[in-house]
Amino acid sequence: MKLRNRVLGAFIVVITVAVLVMAFTSHLYIRNIFDHYTEGYRSVLTDQWEYLLRSYYLRQGSWEGVENVLFRRARGRAASIPMGHIRENLRGILPGDRLLLADNKGEIILDSQDELVGDKLSRSQLSKGIPLLIEGEKVGTLLLQPRALRAVQTLEGQFSRSVNLAVLWGAAVALLTGAGLSLWITGQIARPIAQLTTSAKRFARRDFRHRVKLTENDEIGKLAGAFNLMAENIEQNERLRHNLMIDVAHELRTPLTVLRGNLESLQAGIITPDTELLTSLHDEVLRLNRLISDLEAVNLAEAGKLPLHFREVSPASLLSRAAAAFQHEVVTREINFSVEIEEGLKSRVLDEDRIIQVLINLLANAFKFTPDRGGISLRAKDENGSLVVEIMDSGPGIAEEDLPFIFERFYKSGRGRGGGSGLGLSIAKSFVEAHGGKIAAVNRTGGGSIFTFSLPPVTEKT
């Protein structure tokens, strides 16, 4: 079932339940209010009848003829009380209610339903009735008996049915209105989700450049933003993967081409094997082995399975060993190369070989892009217990759009920092992170770049 249909069904169920609850509660409330109203009305009506009957007795001196005054049209002025007033009050009795008047002996002399005249009121009826007193003497009893259950359904039932009918009509209008609104709301909800579904399907067809165009700032809009960010990352990774395959093929092809050409020449007898040729072939084999070893090291580090051999090492000896590997290049290219170690820098527990390789890779990158007679500095210091190493060069710097990706495998900048296998910085990042550290690169204000990595203290040797 589609999301739109499910949401629409949920809206209709909620509206229906709300209408039923409203109808039930309104029925109970109206019944309660109606009961209070009828009780109050009876009390007022009883007071009026008490006044009218007492007035009648005072004027007539007896109850004689009271039934003629109340139930038959009087001729002339048989009673002193206005006939219309009495009839109006008699008509005010609620349907099903019974008005009884008894004399001072309890004998019923007036029955609004004309059935009990001549009978006597029981003790309970006399106790519930209102005594009619004239100058302190009881001359009669007035009793208003509420309607029977069957009679309740006449007036109250009609009123309740009218209210319930109005509620049902209102419910029908509310249901139709709610259904229309729910259709519109579900359309608003389903539309961006449908766009996301379409984008996901296009993405599954490897259309990595497609983006979701949603401007809403709600949860779905944020989901669309996350989808677009994911698409950008996947597109970037796909581009890197494509470049990776090209670069790996290139890096493998070069030494293999050399090996193949020389071996075919040997087979054809064009050249003869000598020490120089064998050394060249051996170098190409080492180059292939080094490329494969680097790829394996990066994969192991990213998988968290890179073996590390920790031991206590002096930071000064680390920097000195790494710097010694570039002394020939410093002299031949007249590079201003400085090594600065913070005074009192203590020994650290780390994998010496891995960190040496990190330093060599970063320094090789700095020397590659620093012009002759340029400057390179290598510094080490302590920051909050972590060993921080900084390599600063005077090269062309790194393009801003390349900075987020320079530590990716085989990534090569499109401006000025190309060449090589593209694994050096990736290996450095992997080895630093395997130590629980961080590595970053920024551009210098005056030109060049700064590579910095930090290694937290290790409490246990592994």
Side-chain angles (χ1 to χ4, degrees), residues 97-136:
D97 282 2
R98 166 170 275 168
L99 181 69
L100 298 174
L101 174 63
D103 59 15
N104 57 355
K105 296 180 182 180
E107 183 179 339
I108 299 173
I109 57 176
L110 174 64
D111 179 7
S112 62
Q113 298 182 13
D114 202 19
E115 294 175 351
L116 302 177
V117 176
D119 292 347
K120 282 186 174 279
L121 293 177
S122 65
R123 287 186 178 182
S124 66
Q125 287 176 321
L126 286 171
S127 64
K128 294 177 182 177
I130 299 174
L132 300 175
L133 303 176
I134 303 296
E135 296 180 356

Side-chain angles (χ1 to χ4, degrees), residues 36 82-83 100 120 133 144 169 198 213 222 230 254 276-277 292 335 344 358 368 386 398 411 428 452:
H36 279 81
M83 190 67 182
L100 298 174
K120 282 186 174 279
L133 303 176
L144 182 63
W169 274 108
T198 301
K213 297 180 181 178
K222 292 178 180 178
M230 177 195 70
T254 301
E276 182 180 355
L277 177 61
I292 294 171
I335 300 292
V358 170
K368 181 188 298 184
S386 296
I398 306 168
Y411 185 82
T452 306

Side-chain angles (χ1 to χ4, degrees), residues 30 47 76 103 138 143 195 228 234 311 401 448-449 451:
I30 290 169
D47 292 341
D103 59 15
K138 181 179 179 181
L143 178 64
Q195 291 185 25
N228 289 338
I234 292 178
R311 70 184 187 88
E401 62 270 19
S449 59
F451 284 78

Side-chain angles (χ1 to χ4, degrees), residues 60 76 79 123 130 144 147 183 245 271 323 347 381 410 435 437:
Q60 299 296 325
R123 287 186 178 182
I130 299 174
L144 182 63
R147 51 204 163 167
L183 279 173
M245 299 305 296
I271 57 175
S347 297
K381 59 182 179 179
F410 293 103
H435 282 75

